[in-house]
Amino acid sequence: MSLAFIQSCIAEDMQKVDAVIRKSLHSDVVLINQVADYIVNSGGKRLRPALVLLSAGAFGHIEPQHHELAAVIELIHTSTLLHDDVVDESSLRRGKATANTLFGNAASVLVGDFIYSRTFQMMVSIQSMRVMEVLSEATNTIAEGEVLQLLNVHDADITDAAYLKVIHYKTAKLFEAATRLGAIICGTNAQDEAAMAEYGMRLGTAFQLVDDVLDLSGDSTEIGKNLGDDLAEGKPTLPLLYAMRHGTEAQRKIIRHAIEQGGLDELPAVIDAVKNTGALEHVRKVASDEAAIGCKAIAHLPETPYKQALLQLAEFAVSRSY
C-alpha cells in the first residue's frame, strides 16, 4: 500500500498544514529558525497531522481549525523527536544527521522547548476547552511514557504488558489525540469520538510495533536510521522479549547480555536469534491484530474516501518496510 496514495485525498489540506507549521515556527532568534527549519525539512511521513485531517474528513468536512490542530500535533511530535535524539544520543534520523549532531544538545533541547511551548499558544487560539483537555492529557502522558521507557532501559525482565504500556503512552497517545481532535472539531457524538480515538490508539500501537521489527530487520537506507539503534541503547523491545522466551539457552543469554549492556557487539547474533525464533513474524501479527481492532472501531462510519484512507493506512502501518 502506497503512503502517497493514502495521502492524495488530503494533499491540498496538507499544504495548508505545512504553511501553518512554517508560520508558527518563525522567530526573531536566528538559531531557532535554523534548527526548526532543519528538522521540518528533514522529511517524515506526516502521519499524525494526516490523521487529524482524515478523521475530520470521515465526519464530513475539514475546517481551518483542523489545519491548525494538525500543525499542533506535528509540532508536538517534532519537539519530542528533538528531545528523544538527545536522550538517546542518536546520530541519524530519516536518513539525515540529527539536529543534536549538527547544532549540539543544548540547542536541540532548547529549540524543542520553544516548539513545545509554541504549540500551547496555538492550542489557545482554537478557543476550545475540550481541545485543551485532550492535548494537555496527551502531552503529559507522552512525558510519562518517556520516563517509563527510561526506567525500562537495560531491563531484560520486563513483561510484554509493561512494554506495551510504554508504547501506549509514548507513541500511541499522540495518534489517539490526532484522530480524536478531528472528530471533536466536527462536533461528533461521544460514541463516534471514542471510536475514532480507539482507531488512533490501535494504529499508533501497530505502527510502533512494526518500528520495533524494522529496527532489527530493516534496510538502514530505507528506514532512515541505523539498524539496531534500540538495542544499542539497551531497550527491551517486543521482538527481543519474544525471542528470549522462545529461543535456546544460548540465544537467551546473548539477548539478555545485549539488553543489559547495550551496544551493538552482538547485533548479528541477536538478529539471527529473532529471525530463527519467529519473533519478527509474531510481532507483525500482534501489530496486525491491533490494526484490525482499530479498523473495526470505525467500521460503522459512512463509506467515504477518507474512511477508506484510514483503513488503508492501517494496512500500510503493518505491511510497510520503512
Side-chain angles (χ1 to χ4, degrees):
M1 182 59 62
S2 166
L3 185 58
F5 174 77
I6 294 169
Q7 292 177 328
S8 63
C9 65
I10 53 169
E12 185 176 335
D13 287 293
M14 282 299 292
Q15 290 178 358
K16 294 177 181 178
V17 172
D18 284 342
V20 173
I21 289 173
R22 295 186 185 283
K23 179 181 178 181
S24 301
L25 288 181
H26 178 72
S27 169
D28 292 334
V29 180
V30 175
L31 181 59
I32 289 176
N33 290 326
Q34 289 176 331
V35 178
D37 284 347
Y38 180 78
I39 191 72
V40 169
N41 291 327
S42 293
K45 302 179 185 69
R46 292 284 205 273
L47 288 182
R48 294 157 187 84
L51 284 171
V52 177
L53 302 177
L54 292 173
S55 172
F59 292 109
H61 53 281
I62 299 175
E63 303 287 349
Q65 284 184 319
H66 288 116
H67 301 144
E68 193 81 10
L69 285 173
V72 167
I73 290 289
E74 180 64 8
L75 290 177
I76 290 173
H77 177 55
T78 299
S79 68
T80 63
L81 295 185
L82 284 166
H83 290 160
D84 280 356
D85 286 341
V86 171
V87 172
D88 297 339
E89 300 180 3
S90 299
S91 61
L92 191 69
R93 181 181 287 278
R94 299 168 178 168
K96 298 177 66 175
T98 54
N100 52 297
T101 300
L102 292 180
F103 301 98
N105 288 341
S108 289
V109 170
L110 294 174
V111 174
D113 290 345
F114 166 82
I115 295 173
Y116 188 64
S117 59
R118 177 54 55 86
T119 65
F120 278 85
Q121 292 178 313
M122 297 167 70
M123 289 178 211
V124 172
S125 72
I126 302 295
Q127 296 186 338
S128 167
M129 186 57 70
R130 181 71 178 120
V131 166
M132 289 291 293
E133 180 185 6
V134 170
L135 285 170
S136 60
E137 180 195 1
T139 53
N140 188 253
T141 299
I142 292 166
E144 285 185 313
E146 296 281 4
V147 177
L148 274 177
Q149 179 173 265
L150 182 64
L151 291 173
N152 291 341
V153 169
H154 301 303
D155 183 359
D157 294 314
I158 72 164
T159 63
D160 288 4
Y163 179 68
L164 287 170
K165 183 176 182 179
V166 171
I167 287 181
H168 291 158
Y169 280 29
K170 184 175 180 289
T171 302
K173 191 64 180 180
L174 195 57
F175 280 72
E176 178 194 313
T179 50
R180 187 186 291 275
L181 289 172
I184 287 172
I185 297 299
C186 286
T188 59
N189 59 46
Q191 179 184 358
D192 283 342
E193 179 192 323
M196 194 57 77
E198 174 81 1
Y199 166 85
M201 172 61 76
R202 299 290 183 171
L203 177 71
T205 302
F207 191 86
Q208 182 58 56
L209 288 171
V210 173
D211 263 5
D212 294 345
V213 169
L214 295 178
D215 185 63
L216 295 167
S217 65
D219 182 328
S220 60
T221 59
E222 193 172 5
I223 63 177
K225 66 174 187 174
N226 299 313
L227 202 63
D229 266 0
D230 290 338
L231 184 65
E233 297 158 19
K235 294 178 182 176
T237 59
L238 202 60
L240 299 175
L241 298 177
Y242 181 90
M244 277 196 294
R245 288 199 303 270
H246 295 84
T248 64
E249 183 62 29
Q251 289 171 329
R252 283 193 290 274
K253 287 182 178 179
I254 288 171
I255 296 172
R256 173 176 288 277
H257 184 266
I259 292 172
E260 291 178 347
Q261 301 302 317
L264 297 176
D265 292 344
E266 296 172 301
L267 180 60
V270 171
I271 290 177
D272 184 65
V274 296
K275 287 181 177 178
N276 289 337
T277 57
L280 301 178
E281 293 80 4
H282 168 75
V283 176
R284 277 208 188 258
K285 176 62 167 58
V286 175
S288 180
D289 291 345
E290 286 287 321
I293 294 170
C295 290
K296 184 178 179 180
I298 61 170
H300 69 286
L301 297 182
E303 293 301 324
T304 65
Y306 300 101
K307 176 186 173 182
Q308 286 305 311
L310 288 168
L311 298 177
Q312 291 166 0
L313 189 54
E315 180 184 333
F316 166 79
V318 175
S319 63
R320 67 194 171 92
S321 59
Y322 64 96

